[in-house]
Amino acid sequence: MPSEAEKLAINRTTNLFVVTGPSGVGKGTMIAKILERVPHIAKSVSATTRQMREGERQNVDYFFCSSEEFFKMKLRGEFLEWAKFTEHYYGTPRSWVEKSLSEGQDVILEIEVEGAKQIRQKYPQAVLIFISPPSYDELKSRLQSRATESPERILTRLEKAKEELNSKNLFDYEVINDNLDEAIGNLEHIVYAERLRITR
Ligand code: 5GP
């Protein structure tokens, strides 16, 4: 028998939040705080063909897999959306997301713009949030100081960022990550406001 809290969670309408923004803008840090602060919300773990970075963990940060495994999953229809970002593939596992939503849990996807467009098509009621840097130069210096990528890869990501910044009109909300605490607060407000929405 579900407890009262579980029943409440199951009966409420769930939300699919999609958080996008250029690489290095701070999406991961912001989402980690939302998961700490807000109940009944979980982040989906994507599959990727890129190499694990120092400090990342298998099945926690990503399901790191080979291109062959990725394409088998894709053929089996296991991705809700997928995209190639720079030279690697990334995809959202469909079954986990659908199960979480049906069990009363809100879900956050942290994905790039092409994937967000696919989600918009499949789930028109999804809430799309774009995280912007205060400026392009600030993004550049954040990516350089993060130093998780080689200088050439940073350049590729910056080129990609230009394209992504041009797509922000597809989104429902924009949060500018200038002051991190304020940006996290704004993201939290969006989550709570969407939970109070009557119509979509
Ligand atoms: P990174 O290599 O920095 O972890 O991720 C590169 C980009 O891919 C980021 O913008 C990240 O949000 C995005 N990404 C991560 N997982 C997925 C996914 O499952 N689907 C899509 N479309 N993008 C993803």
Side-chain angles (χ1 to χ4, degrees), residues 33-34 37-38 182-193:
K33 275 283 171 217
I34 296 298
R37 289 188 192 176
V38 180
E182 254 174 48
I184 294 166
N186 285 335
L187 188 54
E188 190 177 355
H189 291 142
I190 294 169
V191 170
Y192 280 115

Side-chain angles (χ1 to χ4, degrees), residues 66-169:
S66 63
S67 302
E68 199 187 347
E69 284 169 310
F70 188 95
F71 281 99
K72 275 188 189 155
M73 287 188 264
K74 179 177 150 347
L75 278 177
R76 292 196 295 256
E78 291 178 19
F79 294 131
L80 201 56
E81 62 71 39
W82 68 276
K84 187 174 185 198
F85 181 86
T86 65
E87 73 265 52
H88 302 296
Y89 292 91
Y90 297 81
T92 298
R94 176 193 302 280
S95 61
W96 183 88
V97 172
E98 288 177 348
K99 182 166 179 284
S100 302
L101 291 170
S102 72
E103 287 174 352
Q105 176 140 267
D106 284 350
V107 170
I108 301 195
L109 309 183
E110 182 195 332
I111 61 178
E112 50 68 74
V113 169
E114 291 310 311
K117 287 183 192 165
Q118 295 170 44
I119 297 290
R120 176 59 100 209
Q121 292 286 318
K122 289 182 188 158
Y123 285 86
Q125 73 280 26
V127 181
L128 270 57
I129 305 160
F130 192 87
I131 313 292
S132 293
S135 68
Y136 181 76
D137 285 345
E138 174 59 27
L139 181 71
K140 192 171 171 184
S141 77
R142 283 183 199 175
L143 263 179
Q144 281 165 342
S145 61
R146 187 168 86 170
T148 49
E149 251 70 37
S150 65
E152 300 78 55
R153 289 202 165 130
I154 290 178
L155 274 183
T156 320
R157 282 176 180 243
L158 282 167
E159 280 308 307
K160 194 84 188 165
K162 279 187 192 154
E163 275 174 41
E164 295 192 310
L165 289 165
N166 284 332
S167 304
K168 76 178 178 202
N169 290 342

